[in-house]
Amino acid sequence: MSGLFISFEGNDGAGKTTQAKLFKEYLEGCGYSVRLFREPGGTEISEKIREIILDNENYKMKHMTEALLYAAARCQLVYEGILPALKGGQIVICDRFLDSSLVYQGVGRGLGIDVVKDINSYATGGIMPDLTFFLHLDFSEALSRKNYQHELDRMENQKAYFHNRVYKGFMELAESEKERIVTIEADKKPEIIAEEIADYFNYFVGSRGL
Ligand code: TYD
């Protein structure tokens, strides 16, 4: 099978990171060669950009600066990490990708989806995931999970209405791109969610003859 690009999306605290890791383990158990990246991050330069974006001290950051920094981190990841892995026939799992920018910066910050798409077309050359798992969990429940885990970063510290807009933005996006985005109800035990994701993946590769 040639390379396959799969992303995980959802509100802060919806469980993407746990599921992305479990999915990687599952795929490796099936014999696939897998790379897992997180966004923003995944390369040395992108991780440095991540620190700037999430630093609570950077409260003066303009929304457009934020959108451009996410795109810059993504550009580096696409060309240094994702494309080479796909060329090598690996499965790439990304913990967030462009959809997060469309929803957090486009909808949450109000920059507009089209503007954010434009910026990112330069950053990514237009590459999109073949398949996206959207972990659906009410934003307030999701965020309260985060509170237990660590001190909140600059994005997590945004007001509830911001996270609510993000939540609604994800749902609208998932509704408008049903071919690519699969909604997974994330209010269940991690093992159950992981099983649903694995089942869908097997259906996906089977239906495409991959
Ligand atoms: P993430 O690493 O997923 O956070 P965590 O693992 O702590 O849930 O993402 C960091 C934050 O960046 C998160 O609040 C979502 C936000 N984000 C955007 O606003 N736009 C983007 O394009 C991306 C990739 C993330």
Side-chain angles (χ1 to χ4, degrees):
M1 186 169 80
S2 60
L4 201 56
F5 182 14
I6 300 172
S7 64
F8 282 74
E9 296 284 358
N11 274 74
D12 292 80
K16 294 168 290 78
T17 306
T18 305
Q19 290 304 326
K21 283 184 189 153
L22 289 173
F23 187 50
K24 176 174 189 274
E25 284 167 20
Y26 170 77
L27 291 176
E28 285 173 341
C30 298
Y32 293 108
S33 171
V34 184
R35 292 295 304 276
L36 169 60
F37 299 111
R38 71 165 177 184
E39 272 218 26
T43 73
E44 214 173 298
I45 293 171
S46 312
E47 289 290 335
K48 287 183 182 165
I49 299 173
R50 177 186 176 95
E51 281 176 28
I52 298 172
I53 298 174
L54 299 182
D55 186 346
N56 276 309
E57 286 191 10
N58 290 335
Y59 60 90
K60 287 185 188 156
M61 191 180 292
K62 298 290 176 199
H63 296 343
M64 185 55 85
T65 308
E66 182 183 289
L68 290 165
L69 285 174
Y70 277 113
R74 181 166 300 128
C75 179
Q76 192 64 33
L77 176 62
V78 165
Y79 291 101
E80 193 185 323
I82 296 175
L83 288 177
L86 291 174
K87 263 195 199 137
Q90 291 183 293
I91 296 187
V92 171
I93 305 173
C94 228
D95 182 350
R96 298 194 183 279
F97 194 66
L98 174 62
D99 295 329
S100 280
S101 278
L102 298 182
V103 169
Y104 279 81
Q105 281 64 54
V107 181
R109 297 301 198 196
L111 290 177
I113 286 198
D114 288 342
V115 170
V116 177
K117 266 188 187 160
D118 270 2
I119 295 169
N120 277 277
S121 68
Y122 296 106
T124 65
I127 185 176
M128 282 301 282
D130 299 292
L131 174 63
T132 296
F133 290 108
F134 162 48
L135 298 190
H136 175 246
L137 185 66
D138 178 74
F139 75 96
S140 49
E141 193 178 326
L143 203 59
S144 69
R145 288 185 181 180
K146 279 277 158 188
N147 260 318
Y148 287 109
Q149 291 166 7
H150 61 83
E151 214 176 298
L152 299 184
D153 63 39
R154 194 179 66 85
M155 296 304 286
E156 290 160 350
N157 264 323
Q158 298 302 310
K159 299 209 163 57
Y161 80 80
F162 173 80
H163 291 286
N164 192 15
R165 281 165 67 130
V166 166
Y167 174 65
K168 291 191 170 141
F170 270 129
M171 286 197 292
E172 271 175 36
L173 192 64
E175 189 60 32
S176 69
E177 286 205 53
K178 282 188 173 155
E179 275 287 290
R180 171 175 65 87
I181 305 177
V182 184
T183 301
I184 303 281
E185 295 304 330
D187 58 348
K188 298 173 224 150
K189 284 193 178 150
E191 314 83 78
I192 309 274
I193 299 173
E195 235 176 81
E196 279 181 29
I197 289 172
D199 285 350
Y200 190 88
F201 170 79
N202 288 320
Y203 158 77
F204 178 85
V205 291
S207 68
R208 308 241 166 159
L210 298 171

